Amino acid sequence: MKKIVFMLLIFTVLFGKAFAQEDEFVEFDIVTSDFPDLKTNEIYFSAGSASYVGIFSGIFAAIATSIVTATSEDKNNDSESEPAFSCAFGYNHYFWDHLGVGGFVNYEKTFGLDLLTFQAKITGQYGFEHFKFYHAVSGGILCVPGAEGVAPVFDITLLGLKLDYDYFSIFVETCAPTTAILKLGASYKF
C-alpha cells in the first residue's frame, strides 16, 4: 500500500503541471524586472448640474441682485435665464486597481455666479473587470472670479459608477457639496 501511495505522489508531482489550467493574473518577472503594460494614469472630463454650494450661494446672490435692481431703474437682468452647469477636468494616478490619487479643476456657473475650485483627490474603487463602483474625498480652495480671497472647500463623491476598459472609461457620479450633484464624464487612460 505504501508503494502505491508513493507512486501516486510522484506521478502527481511530475504530471500535475501538464494538466493544470493556466490562471489569468498579472505576473512580475523577477529576472528582467518587466512590469506588464498597466494603464495607471488617467485624465478625465466631466459635466453636470450645479453643486449644493453653487445653488445656495447663487440663490443668495440672485436675491441680493434682485433687491439692488428693484431699487434701481435698470431692471434688465438675464442671469435668471442662464443655465446652471458645472464642468471639471482632472487627473488620477492609480497605485493599485483600487486606490487612486490626483487632482481636478472644477468650474461652475449658477444664477450668474462663477465658482472655480482646485482640489486634490483620493479615490477608492472596487467591483468587476469592466464595471466598477468608487468613492472619493477631495479638498482644496474655492475662488470666485472678480472677488478677493479664497476659501477652503472639500467634496465627497458619494457614489460613482464606471464602465472601465483598457484605454478609456465612462462614468456617472453623485457628489456633495462643492462639485456637481450629478455628473457624467469620460476618461482616457495611459
Side-chain angles (χ1 to χ4, degrees):
M1 182 71 177
K2 290 180 184 178
K3 290 181 184 180
I4 294 173
V5 171
F6 184 69
M7 290 304 289
L8 287 173
L9 181 64
I10 289 176
F11 282 122
T12 305
V13 170
L14 292 176
F15 297 109
K17 189 71 171 171
F19 298 106
Q21 293 180 355
E22 186 174 331
D23 291 337
E24 294 183 23
F25 60 91
V26 177
E27 291 185 11
F28 173 70
D29 189 1
I30 296 174
V31 177
T32 61
S33 299
D34 286 339
F35 283 100
D37 186 25
L38 296 176
K39 310 291 188 259
T40 58
N41 300 304
E42 75 176 353
I43 55 173
Y44 64 90
F45 177 78
S46 66
S49 65
S51 67
Y52 289 113
V53 169
I55 290 172
F56 289 125
S57 15
I59 288 173
F60 290 123
I63 290 171
T65 304
S66 297
I67 292 171
V68 169
T69 57
T71 58
S72 69
E73 295 188 19
D74 182 24
K75 297 189 179 188
N76 187 10
N77 189 2
D78 294 331
S79 66
E80 291 109 16
S81 63
E82 294 176 357
F85 71 93
S86 175
C87 61
F89 180 74
Y91 166 80
N92 286 327
H93 175 78
Y94 286 95
F95 291 102
W96 303 279
D97 192 32
H98 304 290
L99 178 67
V101 297
F104 65 93
V105 176
N106 188 68
Y107 172 76
E108 180 176 350
K109 186 168 191 75
T110 309
F111 297 110
L113 183 65
D114 296 330
L115 302 173
L116 187 62
T117 61
F118 301 92
Q119 297 189 40
K121 179 178 181 181
I122 298 174
T123 304
Q125 71 178 3
Y126 54 94
F128 308 102
E129 183 179 359
H130 294 297
F131 181 74
K132 296 186 175 150
F133 302 95
Y134 63 91
H135 308 282
V137 174
S138 60
I141 59 171
L142 168 71
C143 305
V144 179
E148 291 183 20
V150 296
V153 293
F154 72 94
D155 196 60
I156 298 172
T157 301
L158 303 171
L159 178 63
L161 305 172
K162 182 192 290 189
L163 290 174
D164 194 20
Y165 296 101
D166 288 337
Y167 291 98
F168 71 95
S169 65
I170 299 169
F171 60 90
V172 61
E173 63 187 27
T174 180
C175 301
T178 57
T179 62
I181 297 169
L182 182 65
K183 59 178 126 173
L184 176 68
S187 69
Y188 171 73
K189 299 191 316 186
F190 57 97

